[in-house]
Amino acid sequence: VNEIMAQVTACGPRLVLLTGGEPLLQPHTPALADLLLRAGFEVLVETNGTMDISVLPPGVIRIVDVKCPGSGEAGGFLRSNLDYLTPTDEIKFVISSQEDFDYAVNMVQRDGLDSRAVILLSPVFGVMPPASLAASILASGLQIRLQLQLHKYIWSPESRGV
C-alpha cells in the first residue's frame, strides 16, 4: 500500500480509479482507498458487483457493474450492494443486445436505481452501435447516460493499459 501511495503521489493527478480485474479481491483495497482519500485524492473504485462494496470507506465513488444476460455472467451480481449506493455512485450496464437493454431498464425501474445513483449504459464495442443504444435510451425516458469506451475510439480496441 505504501509503495502504491508513493507512485500515485508522484504521478500528479488528483483522481485515482482502482479497477482491473476485481479490485475488491485484493484485501488491502479498502485501506488503500482510505489512505488516498485522506491524502486528498478523489477515489473511484470500479467493481464487477460480485463483492461487498460496504467495505469501502465513505467518500469513495463506487462504480458497480451489473452483468447483463449477454455477458454470460448475469447471475453473479450481489444485490445487497444496491443498499449501499449513494447519489454520487454509478451503476454501469454493458449492453450487447436489445435483451440486455430491456434487462437494464427493467432493473432500473424495478429497483428505482435512477434515483439512487448515476446510471450508465455502455455499448459492447463493435457489437451494439452507439447510435442505436442512444436512441433506445432517449426513447426510454429514464435518467440514463450513454458511456462510450473512448480509449477504443482513440486507440486500437486491442490496446491494453491505455
Side-chain angles (χ1 to χ4, degrees):
V1 169
N2 291 333
E3 217 175 288
I4 293 170
M5 282 296 297
Q7 289 181 9
V8 169
T9 302
C11 288
R14 302 307 299 169
L15 184 138
V16 176
L17 170 62
L18 303 176
T19 188
E22 172 48 60
L24 293 177
L25 285 175
Q26 306 303 318
H28 299 296
T29 296
L32 174 61
D34 187 55
L35 283 172
L36 288 163
L37 286 169
R38 287 191 280 132
F41 289 93
E42 182 176 6
V43 180
L44 297 83
V45 174
E46 185 164 1
T47 171
N48 66 22
T50 62
M51 306 291 292
D52 180 9
I53 64 171
S54 72
V55 300
L56 294 169
V60 168
I61 297 171
R62 294 161 294 206
I63 305 167
V64 181
D65 293 352
V66 176
K67 303 299 182 198
C68 294
S71 72
E73 300 176 23
F77 182 72
L78 191 60
R79 291 193 61 81
S80 61
N81 280 333
L82 299 178
D83 297 333
Y84 302 108
L85 295 173
T86 68
T88 59
D89 293 331
E90 301 175 357
I91 302 172
K92 182 174 78 172
F93 297 87
V94 179
I95 307 296
S96 65
S97 65
Q98 184 64 42
E99 178 187 14
D100 284 353
F101 178 78
D102 293 342
Y103 176 87
V105 166
N106 288 335
M107 188 171 175
V108 168
Q109 291 175 326
R110 181 188 66 230
D111 296 318
L113 298 180
D114 55 343
S115 66
R116 297 166 64 185
V118 175
I119 307 299
L120 306 170
L121 269 58
S122 181
V124 173
F125 187 84
V127 175
M128 169 61 75
S132 295
L133 182 54
S136 294
I137 289 170
L138 289 172
S140 78
L142 295 172
Q143 294 297 311
I144 295 174
R145 295 184 191 171
L146 176 68
Q147 180 190 45
L148 300 177
Q149 294 177 303
L150 292 179
H151 64 283
K152 291 185 177 179
Y153 292 91
I154 298 170
W155 297 283
S156 163
E158 291 79 32
S159 296
R160 298 183 60 84
V162 294

